[in-house]
């Protein structure tokens, strides 16, 4: 990763994003390696990793579902969407399914206010959600991906 | 020369150099502006905002610590807007601060508490107590440093200290917004990370968030236990700083009063770490000369050069983490504190006829890392824990206050015997360059039979506040035993602060420098600027303490370690010869490689 992006301090964010893309989260081992490669202190790397919401420092499932929690989506019923996902996956918000396939999280505004409620599954956005539609999407991921 | 800038502060004309800040200008004319995140030793952060002032024409209040002066600037430091903004800021900081002041270790020594008092905060303007909503943690696993997040105001002085002065960055800023906190890697304990325990963060923390682990109660218990014989040793740098915590001005030598106070506090024997500092010179000087002989004459590859000093436990832990491949270059000598501890429960016990089981050995140090050092498993060569409790200069001041002593009115007293005698060379261990100077005074004389060729034995090139001091000493006119050193140039380097230590080690690593002897002290200025010294410590105070220490040296009848009569006696009666069998058993140690990340 460091070979790909470079070993300067400004390359840190790209490297961390690259690791999250591959491993879904940043382990202490991964962060230590990054610190060693870039000659930074581990605490500094940890600081950057914890600053950004999309850089996770806890293990995540293969598919990370992030439901928008900001005002527009909230008014359009994001709570019902979360409830539906929780029931379907048998997890609470913030948890990962037993088979490590899904993690359910909230996120701040993604800019889909006009088509709320909205959510992300990894990098793919889904909008105008209903309880039925969200179950359908998740079943599709569970079966086919 | 920089241009001068003219400005007005509260209607008063003031002229300062270009590039200085409004805060600098205000201080030049004794206008008091409160600060929290600002510290003389560190870069400007401008995050606490408590130093805000009004500048005519500016859209909003500006932080005076960060704002450079400009020509014709008009500044007001005491308007209604400024005062109420500051009060709001202080109240907001307090809303997230565990203000359990009466039970706090820093009670009455807290900058936030001082500001709250100065601005008479009442919580009326902004009635909020967010402390119960926060999930604060206290990290008290380290034998040296306790970190309590509930008292942290996130000024980041500690983070800047750890990065700028020490190049360690064990502490960083993690998370963001209301969840932002000062954290180690993965919020591990300070004990488990690369922290060197130098305590410079403690010395700069404005609140009680970072404090030393204190052993005052344990020491009182030992003193009150009639079965116990409590010996205390005092480090060189404590005698030039203790006064500051007891109402005296910086830069006063208080050796006599300190000894007097410790006797009244109830220690059974008040002795001097300086004695083992002299002993360190005998051991370390001999070790250096032996290594030089092995490397230059015998071409022995196990004799590693350059040899580095091992007195500073912060430096030891730093090199164990950062340059573990150079551990063989460290002198195997224990620090003076640990030599003293090992001898207190052997030599001293024998001579005084006391069962070492009943000796409690206490040390007073300018240092927080010494607490960790005393806890190291290697430090039990007397068969007991060599040093039982380590107190900082600050803790000693606290005990003196608790004992109800009027420090300034105490008579001067002198150290007990044995192990209380010392030379001027030992005293200067407390300042950067001191160990180097002391070692040169003795080593040069061993090799040539003559005193070092410096006026009054003052090796001034190794003194002073430059971060890295390279000095070469030419050896001429050697005695027959040392003729292999004839005409040799002994290359030395002295560094203080771990950022400078790293620079030196990188030069060694790259092969750019071929030093023979390296002195490193973890703290800026050496031990006089240690993490256990009175707060505040800054450049001006470090300079005053250093002057005081050289004054103490100049006034000593004996200036060279090898002339200390007690040192001569201990070799005759107990140790045999420097670096001999008994010395190796009691006075030398080994090191352990640690992880860097």
């Amino acid at each position: 990763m460091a070979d790909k992006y470079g070993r300067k301090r400004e390359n840190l964010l790209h490297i961390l994003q690259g690791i999250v893309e591959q491993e879904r989260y940043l382990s202490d081992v991964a962060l230590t390696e990054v610190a060693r490669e870039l000659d930074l202190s581990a605490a500094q790397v940890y600081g950057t990793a914890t600053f950004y919401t999309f850089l996770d420092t806890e293990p995540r499932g293969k598919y990370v579902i992030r439901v928008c929690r900001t005002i527009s989506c909230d008014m359009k019923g994001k709570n019902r969407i979360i409830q539906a996902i929780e029931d379907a996956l048998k997890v609470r918000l913030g948890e990962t399914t037993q088979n490590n396939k899904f993690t359910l999280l909230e996120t701040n505004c993604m800019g889909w206010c006009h088509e709320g409620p909205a959510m992300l599954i990894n990098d793919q956005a889904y909008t105008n959600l209903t309880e039925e539609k969200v179950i359908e999407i998740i079943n599709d991921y569970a079966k086919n991906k | 020369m920089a241009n001068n800038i003219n400005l007005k502060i509260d209607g008063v004309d003031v002229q300062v150099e270009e590039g200085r800040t409004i805060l600098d200008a205000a201080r030049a004319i004794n206008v008091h502006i409160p600060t929290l995140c600002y510290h003389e030793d560190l870069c400007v952060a401008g995050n606490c905002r408590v130093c805000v002032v009004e500048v005519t024409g500016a859209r909003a209040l500006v932080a005076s610590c960060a704002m450079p002066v400009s020509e014709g600037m008009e500044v007001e430091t005491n308007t209604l807007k400024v005062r109420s903004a500051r009060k709001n800021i202080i109240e907001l900081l307090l809303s997230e601060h565990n203000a359990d002041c009466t039970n706090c270790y820093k009670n009455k020594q807290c900058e936030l508490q001082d500001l709250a008092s100065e601005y008479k905060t009442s919580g009326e303007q902004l009635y909020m107590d967010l402390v119960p909503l926060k999930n604060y943690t206290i990290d008290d696993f380290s034998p040296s440093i306790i970190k309590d997040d509930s008292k942290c105001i996130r000024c980041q002085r500690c983070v800047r200290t750890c990065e700028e002065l020490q190049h360690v960055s064990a502490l960083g800023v993690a998370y963001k917004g209301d969840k932002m906190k000062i954290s180690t890697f993965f919020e591990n304990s300070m004990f488990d990370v690369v922290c060197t325990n130098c305590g410079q963060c403690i010395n700069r923390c404005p609140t009680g968030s970072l404090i030393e682990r204190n052993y005052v109660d344990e020491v009182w218990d030992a003193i009150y236990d009639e079965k116990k014989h409590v010996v205390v040793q005092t480090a060189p740098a404590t005698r030039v700083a203790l006064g500051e915590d007891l109402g005296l001005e910086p830069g006063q030598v208080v050796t006599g009063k300190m000894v007097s106070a410790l006797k009244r506090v109830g220690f059974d024997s008040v002795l001097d770490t300086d004695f083992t500092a002299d002993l360190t010179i005998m051991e370390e000087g001999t070790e250096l000369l032996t290594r030089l002989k092995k490397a230059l004459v015998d071409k022995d590859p196990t004799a590693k050069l350059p040899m580095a000093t091992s007195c500073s436990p912060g430096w030891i832990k730093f090199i164990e983490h950062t340059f573990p491949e150079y551990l063989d270059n460290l002198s195997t000598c224990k620090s003076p504190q640990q030599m003293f501890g090992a001898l207190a429960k052997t030599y001293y016990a024998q001579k005084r006829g006391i069962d070492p089981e009943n000796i409690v050995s206490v040390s007073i140090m300018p240092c927080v890392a010494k607490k960790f050092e005393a806890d190291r498993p290697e430090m039990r060569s007397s068969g007991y824990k060599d040093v039982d409790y380590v107190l900082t200069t600050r803790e000693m001041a606290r005990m003196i206050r608790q004992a109800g002593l009027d420090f300034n009115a105490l008579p001067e007293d002198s150290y007990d015997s044995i192990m209380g005698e010392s030379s001027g060379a030992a005293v200067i261990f407390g300042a950067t360059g001191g160990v180097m100077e002391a070692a040169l005074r003795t080593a040069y004389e061993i090799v040539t039979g003559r005193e070092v060729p410096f006026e009054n034995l003052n090796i001034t090139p190794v003194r002073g506040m430059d971060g890295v001091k390279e000095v070469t000493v030419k050896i001429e006119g050697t005695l027959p035993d040392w003729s292999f050193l004839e005409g040799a140039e002994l290359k030395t380097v002295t560094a203080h602060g771990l950022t400078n230590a790293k620079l030196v080690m990188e030069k060694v690593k790259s092969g750019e420098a071929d030093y023979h002897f390296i002195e490193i002290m973890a703290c800026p200025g050496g031990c006089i600027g240690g993490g256990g010294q009175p707060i505040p410590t800054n450049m001006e105070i470090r300079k005053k303490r250093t002057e005081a220490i050289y004054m103490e040296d100049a006034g000593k009848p004996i200036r060279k370690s090898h002339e200390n009569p007690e040192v001569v006696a201990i070799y005759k009666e107990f140790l045999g010869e420097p670096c001999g069998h008994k010395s190796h058993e009691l006075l030398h140690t080994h090191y352990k490689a640690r992880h860097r990340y």
Side-chain angles (χ1 to χ4, degrees):
Chain A
M1 227 28 112
D3 287 334
K4 185 170 163 196
Y5 292 105
R7 285 180 166 74
K8 292 205 182 113
R9 192 166 181 159
E10 60 260 34
N11 307 122
L12 176 60
L13 198 50
H14 295 294
I15 293 171
L16 296 181
Q17 281 177 319
I19 296 171
V20 169
E21 211 167 287
Q22 277 180 18
E23 300 181 11
R24 304 256 64 89
Y25 87 109
L26 297 160
S27 64
D28 54 351
V29 178
L31 290 182
T32 314
E33 276 311 307
V34 173
R36 194 191 310 279
E37 287 294 333
L38 271 65
D39 195 23
L40 292 171
S41 100
Q44 289 169 330
V45 175
Y46 180 68
T48 305
T50 52
F51 184 88
Y52 294 101
T53 318
F54 278 49
L55 297 178
D56 286 307
T57 50
E58 287 166 43
R60 298 296 187 209
K62 189 176 174 195
Y63 300 108
V64 182
I65 307 167
R66 297 171 201 267
V67 182
C68 175
R69 69 167 181 199
T70 315
I71 301 170
S72 306
C73 288
D74 192 14
M75 290 169 70
K76 289 276 193 76
K78 63 100 181 168
N79 282 341
R80 286 201 308 278
I81 302 299
I82 290 174
Q83 186 82 55
I85 303 174
E86 283 180 339
D87 290 346
L89 296 177
K90 304 279 180 282
V91 289
R92 297 273 187 116
L93 199 59
E95 291 177 350
T96 300
T97 54
Q98 290 257 325
N99 60 6
N100 289 326
K101 203 153 187 188
F102 293 98
T103 300
L104 176 60
L105 303 171
E106 282 185 326
T107 177
N108 286 323
C109 182
M110 303 180 288
W112 286 101
C113 310
H114 56 301
E115 291 184 24
M119 71 173 182
L120 276 181
I121 298 184
N122 291 353
D123 290 334
Q124 178 69 48
Y126 296 90
T127 57
N128 287 322
L129 297 173
T130 61
E131 285 153 274
E132 296 74 30
K133 196 170 160 186
V134 81
I135 302 277
E136 209 173 288
I137 296 168
I138 283 176
N139 281 339
D140 184 40
Y141 270 89
K143 276 185 204 132
N144 305 325
K145 292 189 180 174
Chain B
M1 199 182 137
N3 291 329
N4 279 337
I5 301 283
N6 297 292
L7 69 156
K8 255 189 177 48
I9 295 179
D10 299 338
V12 179
D13 288 316
V14 50
Q15 197 181 53
V16 289
E17 273 177 29
E18 189 176 6
R20 307 306 293 268
T21 62
I22 297 175
L23 181 65
D24 293 330
R27 288 188 173 181
I29 55 165
N30 294 321
V31 169
H32 168 68
I33 297 176
T35 52
L36 274 175
C37 69
Y38 175 83
H39 193 285
E40 290 93 332
D41 288 342
L42 306 172
C43 80
V44 168
N47 63 32
C48 80
R49 314 308 289 181
V50 83
C51 69
V52 287
V53 293
E54 247 185 300
V55 174
T56 309
R59 185 181 50 83
L61 296 173
V62 301
S64 62
C65 72
M67 187 65 149
V69 292
S70 59
E71 190 62 37
M73 193 180 237
E74 285 182 24
V75 180
E76 292 289 337
T77 71
N78 188 24
T79 62
L80 179 62
K81 194 172 166 188
V82 165
R83 287 193 60 78
S84 57
R86 286 181 189 164
K87 193 167 177 176
N88 275 338
I89 289 162
I90 297 162
E91 292 199 349
L92 278 168
L93 289 172
L94 285 170
S95 73
E96 292 185 303
H97 175 82
N98 172 13
D100 185 13
C101 295
T102 48
N103 290 319
C104 180
Y105 186 63
K106 289 284 284 290
N107 188 19
K108 292 186 83 181
Q109 295 166 343
C110 169
E111 293 177 44
L112 182 62
Q113 191 185 37
D114 287 348
L115 280 182
S117 157
E118 193 177 319
Y119 280 79
K120 215 178 80 55
T121 53
S122 57
E124 278 167 15
Q125 273 174 302
L126 270 163
Y127 192 74
M128 274 192 295
D129 183 7
L130 301 175
V131 177
L133 306 177
K134 301 267 174 174
N135 191 16
Y136 290 127
T137 48
I138 299 178
D139 167 16
D140 59 358
F141 289 102
S142 161
S144 289
I145 301 177
I146 298 176
K147 175 170 171 283
D148 178 353
D149 287 346
S150 74
K151 289 169 185 165
C152 177
I153 56 167
R154 284 154 287 168
C155 67
Q156 299 169 32
R157 276 191 196 170
C158 53
V159 176
R160 283 175 284 150
T161 301
C162 205
E163 180 175 356
E164 293 167 25
L165 302 181
Q166 304 297 57
H167 211 287
V168 171
S169 287
L171 290 172
V173 181
Y175 301 98
K176 62 170 172 257
D178 65 334
K179 296 198 170 53
M180 192 254 257
K181 65 194 293 189
I182 307 304
S183 168
T184 55
F185 181 58
F186 264 91
E187 296 174 52
N188 289 327
S189 161
M190 297 281 273
F191 186 57
D192 293 327
V193 297
V194 291
C195 171
T196 65
N197 301 306
C198 73
Q200 289 296 317
C201 55
I202 297 178
N203 218 299
R204 287 175 184 72
C205 181
T207 68
S209 188
L210 285 158
I211 56 170
E212 68 264 35
R213 174 178 286 279
N214 84 85
Y215 297 95
V216 170
D217 290 341
E218 286 85 343
V219 173
W220 278 122
D221 285 348
I223 288 173
Y224 291 133
D225 187 339
E226 281 173 10
K227 287 202 293 287
K228 299 288 180 195
H229 180 83
V230 189
V231 297
V232 64
Q233 52 166 319
T234 60
T238 53
R239 66 205 65 195
V240 296
L242 174 68
E244 292 165 36
D245 258 359
L246 295 162
L248 302 180
E249 287 297 310
Q252 301 206 30
V253 183
V254 294
T255 319
K257 287 184 192 300
M258 174 172 81
V259 173
S260 188
L262 290 174
K263 287 184 180 175
R264 286 170 197 228
V265 160
F267 289 101
D268 295 306
S269 194
V270 181
L271 305 171
D272 203 349
T273 316
D274 285 10
F275 164 73
T276 38
D278 279 332
L279 204 59
T280 302
I281 288 302
M282 298 304 292
E283 294 290 325
E284 206 164 276
T286 309
E287 189 185 1
L288 175 64
L289 292 173
T290 314
R291 280 198 199 198
L292 284 171
K293 183 163 190 292
K294 274 191 182 166
L296 300 176
V297 181
D298 309 339
K299 309 284 176 206
D300 179 352
T302 59
K304 290 277 191 299
L305 286 175
M307 187 179 95
T309 57
S310 56
C311 307
S312 166
W315 152 240
I316 296 297
K317 192 145 183 279
F318 178 77
I319 190 172
E320 287 180 330
H321 283 296
T322 318
F323 296 99
E325 66 275 28
Y326 283 93
L327 291 182
D328 286 340
N329 291 65
L330 283 175
S331 160
T332 58
C333 290
K334 286 183 185 171
S335 70
Q337 164 180 274
Q338 292 307 135
M339 284 196 184
F340 191 100
L343 291 173
K345 295 192 180 179
T346 52
Y347 175 64
Y348 176 87
Q350 259 175 42
K351 289 274 275 189
R352 296 285 301 263
I354 302 166
D355 182 357
E357 173 96 36
N358 288 328
I359 293 183
V360 176
S361 145
V362 178
S363 73
I364 315 269
M365 293 286 143
C367 186
V368 182
K370 290 277 174 199
K371 292 172 188 268
F372 172 85
E373 184 187 40
D375 263 19
R376 290 178 73 122
E378 303 89 45
M379 300 300 173
R380 290 168 179 271
S381 44
S382 64
Y384 304 89
K385 193 177 174 205
D386 293 341
V387 175
D388 292 292
Y389 303 112
V390 180
L391 304 181
T392 58
T393 312
R394 297 188 291 265
E395 288 169 82
M396 168 163 62
R398 184 174 296 246
M399 283 188 80
I400 292 170
R401 284 196 300 269
Q402 286 174 343
L405 300 172
D406 178 359
F407 186 72
N408 208 11
L410 289 174
E412 310 258 324
D413 206 339
S414 49
Y415 285 102
D416 291 321
S417 181
I418 48 177
M419 293 168 52
E421 184 67 62
S422 68
S423 75
V427 174
I428 57 174
F429 263 58
T432 165
V435 178
M436 180 63 71
E437 181 166 348
L440 289 176
R441 283 183 194 172
T442 290
Y444 193 89
E445 206 165 314
I446 290 179
V447 172
T448 66
R450 287 174 288 115
E451 291 191 337
V452 280
F454 288 90
E455 202 188 339
N456 292 332
L457 299 173
N458 294 335
I459 310 178
T460 43
V462 301
R463 299 183 179 183
M465 289 297 170
D466 289 341
V468 178
K469 290 163 282 186
E470 294 179 334
V471 176
T472 303
V473 180
K474 195 162 173 142
I475 303 174
E476 284 168 319
T478 51
L479 294 174
D481 280 356
W482 302 100
S483 57
F484 69 94
L485 287 173
E486 181 61 40
E489 291 195 328
L490 185 71
K491 291 183 184 161
T492 74
V493 63
T494 303
H496 57 116
L498 292 172
T499 301
N500 293 321
K502 188 159 188 258
L503 291 177
V504 167
M505 288 311 291
E506 271 164 0
K507 267 175 125 175
V508 170
K509 204 170 175 173
S510 70
E512 190 188 322
D514 54 346
Y515 306 119
H516 298 110
F517 190 36
I518 302 176
E519 181 210 289
I520 288 175
M521 294 294 153
C523 293
C527 307
I528 49 103
Q533 292 283 56
I535 300 170
T537 295
N538 54 37
M539 188 51 104
E540 196 189 329
I541 291 175
R542 281 193 292 270
K543 280 185 179 157
K544 285 188 176 154
R545 291 179 191 157
T546 306
E547 278 168 27
I549 228 164
Y550 286 119
M551 212 161 69
E552 177 91 338
D553 166 37
K556 283 267 191 181
I558 303 168
R559 303 279 307 285
K560 291 172 284 187
S561 299
H562 55 279
E563 290 176 359
N564 178 341
E566 285 196 341
V567 168
V568 176
I570 195 173
Y571 279 115
K572 212 167 138 196
E573 294 168 11
F574 186 72
L575 289 171
E577 53 175 357
C579 292
H581 175 68
K582 201 139 199 179
S583 294
H584 268 288
E585 217 169 78
L586 290 174
L587 308 182
H588 291 257
T589 184
H590 55 273
Y591 308 100
K592 147 180 174 189
R594 297 171 196 268
H595 62 93
R596 169 73 181 96
Y597 299 99

